[in-house]
Amino acid sequence: MIHHLRGKLVEKNPTHIIIECGGVGYFVNISLNTFSKLPEQENISVYTHLQVKEDSHTLFGFVEKSEREIFRLLLSVSGIGSSIARTMLSSMSPSQVRDAIANGDVASIQAVKGIGAKTAQRVILDLRDKVLKVYDIDELSLSTNNTNKDEALSALEVLGFARKQSERVVDKVLSQDASLSVENIIKLALKNL
């Protein structure tokens, strides 16, 4: 119903902001991610999601459309309400949430306060296909936080090997020993390419 708000930032808190638009002050709930990305200027624009319940109308605001999309996807999961979705987006960036779902990373999602193992698994089960489709992510080329892996893949690309093929081989090498140095990853990968 309310797609976005553009107006004067009257109040800024880690959990909410108040935006004045045409003389009306809107109380907008936000995540810490949005709080950290809000511009310091007086006039701002935020994308919104209006949640209508029997006893309340609650407005949520997001600096980026991508965060709002992830928020809405999370709300579609049984057992995830607006407060847990907001907590998740306060604990992780939208891209981290997206990658955790796409990678099936139960531990990262479960690390969020209020989410147990079953809920984390349900989030992944319900949203994995949607996330892969919406963000056009290829399951084999998902990025990880392993810098050695990234450096090894870059080196193999420079040597002329296709990224997807290299990634499969590097993942196989790392599954046997995740503590390998970049040089050893490359050496072992070259034997298998």
Side-chain angles (χ1 to χ4, degrees):
M1 187 172 141
I2 301 173
H3 180 267
H4 69 278
L5 292 172
R6 182 177 292 125
K8 181 180 174 186
L9 181 62
V10 178
E11 193 178 315
K12 178 181 174 184
N13 294 295
T15 57
H16 71 273
I17 55 175
I18 296 176
I19 302 175
E20 187 177 313
C21 304
V24 178
Y26 291 91
F27 185 95
V28 182
N29 292 285
I30 59 170
S31 67
L32 286 174
N33 182 62
T34 289
F35 176 76
S36 67
K37 291 184 177 178
L38 275 172
E40 291 302 317
Q41 65 223 38
E42 194 173 89
N43 290 316
I44 64 164
S45 179
V46 291
Y47 297 99
T48 59
H49 173 80
L50 178 64
Q51 185 176 51
V52 179
K53 290 185 175 178
E54 280 181 24
D55 58 345
S56 69
H57 290 175
T58 311
L59 204 54
F60 294 90
F62 311 94
V63 170
E64 300 165 335
K65 267 187 178 177
S66 62
E67 186 178 7
R68 180 176 67 178
E69 288 170 19
I70 294 287
F71 181 80
R72 287 177 170 168
L73 282 174
L74 290 171
L75 289 181
S76 71
V77 177
S78 173
I80 299 281
S82 56
S83 62
I84 290 181
R86 183 168 70 159
T87 301
M88 192 181 280
L89 288 166
S90 293
S91 304
M92 306 164 78
S93 72
S95 58
Q96 288 173 324
V97 173
R98 180 196 68 206
D99 292 346
I101 292 168
N103 284 321
D105 187 354
V106 175
S108 292
I109 294 172
Q110 195 178 337
V112 175
K113 187 175 186 270
I115 296 183
K118 285 186 178 176
T119 306
Q121 289 166 351
R122 192 178 314 119
V123 167
I124 291 168
L125 188 69
D126 289 2
L127 299 182
R128 189 158 194 237
D129 291 340
K130 290 179 189 174
V131 165
L132 292 173
K133 191 185 295 178
V134 168
Y135 293 96
D136 197 28
I137 300 172
D138 182 353
E139 290 183 66
L140 297 172
S141 66
L142 290 169
S143 62
T144 64
N145 294 333
N146 188 337
T147 52
N148 285 355
K149 175 184 172 182
D150 294 337
E151 286 179 35
L153 286 171
S154 296
L156 290 168
E157 267 187 303
V158 169
L159 293 171
F161 293 98
R163 185 158 182 102
K164 279 188 182 181
Q165 182 186 7
S166 301
E167 195 150 17
R168 270 190 231 114
V169 172
V170 167
D171 284 341
K172 187 177 173 186
V173 166
L174 286 173
S175 70
Q176 293 163 358
D177 184 2
S179 64
L180 289 170
S181 68
V182 176
E183 296 80 20
N184 288 331
I185 293 171
I186 294 169
K187 285 177 187 173
L188 290 169
L190 285 172
K191 288 179 183 174
N192 295 309
L193 283 169

